[in-house]
Amino acid sequence: QVQLVESGGGLVQAGGSLRLSCAASGGTFSSYAMGWFRQAPGKEREFVAGISWSGINTYYADSVKGRFTISRDNAKNTVYLQMNSLKPEDTAVYYCAAAPNLSTVVAGKGNWGQGTQVTVSS
């Protein structure tokens, strides 16, 4: 079973950028679709972005489309989330997820990391 460790979170001003990383181990990374989710205080966890095992197919929540970009490097067993034009409402704990296919990732089913905090100040 794949283990996931997120990094790259922090405090940034509105309009700024951050890049999150998620390193995978213990499984065949290139066989997993990957995704990012987030959970703000008092809210349910929500889907942010997903990417197929090959990297060819990507899918984004409407709230981040055009601002966030998901990518992966199968040689490094890592998936990334480039976040630009950050807004205070992007503040949340961001989680990495792995699943056998993209639709399963989007559905929120699969393995999870421990999360990394992103705080956007106004």
Side-chain angles (χ1 to χ4, degrees), residues 10 20-21 24 35 39 43 46-48 54 60 86 104-105 109 113:
L20 305 183
S21 299
Q39 187 168 19
K43 295 188 177 181
E46 64 174 0
F47 170 78
V48 174
S54 65
Y60 296 92
L86 282 162
T104 305
V105 166
K109 301 176 182 179

Side-chain angles (χ1 to χ4, degrees), residues 2 10 20 30 38 64 95 103 107 113 119:
V2 65
L20 305 183
S30 59
R38 66 187 181 187
V64 306
Y95 297 90
S103 60
T119 302

Side-chain angles (χ1 to χ4, degrees), residues 31-119:
S31 68
Y32 288 94
M34 302 296 295
W36 288 95
F37 286 71
R38 66 187 181 187
Q39 187 168 19
K43 295 188 177 181
E44 292 188 353
R45 190 176 299 186
E46 64 174 0
F47 170 78
V48 174
I51 188 167
S52 62
W53 65 269
S54 65
I56 293 176
N57 298 307
T58 57
Y59 186 64
Y60 296 92
D62 287 344
S63 58
V64 306
K65 206 171 290 184
R67 299 189 299 123
F68 291 10
T69 302
I70 189 171
S71 62
R72 66 189 297 160
D73 186 337
N74 286 345
K76 295 183 178 180
N77 290 354
T78 302
V79 63
Y80 305 98
L81 185 67
Q82 178 67 42
M83 306 185 294
N84 298 329
S85 302
L86 282 162
K87 305 175 182 180
E89 51 263 43
D90 294 318
T91 295
V93 177
Y94 283 71
Y95 297 90
C96 177
N101 54 67
L102 189 52
S103 60
T104 305
V105 166
V106 174
K109 301 176 182 179
N111 297 339
W112 296 92
Q114 84 291 345
T116 186
Q117 176 71 46
V118 172
T119 302

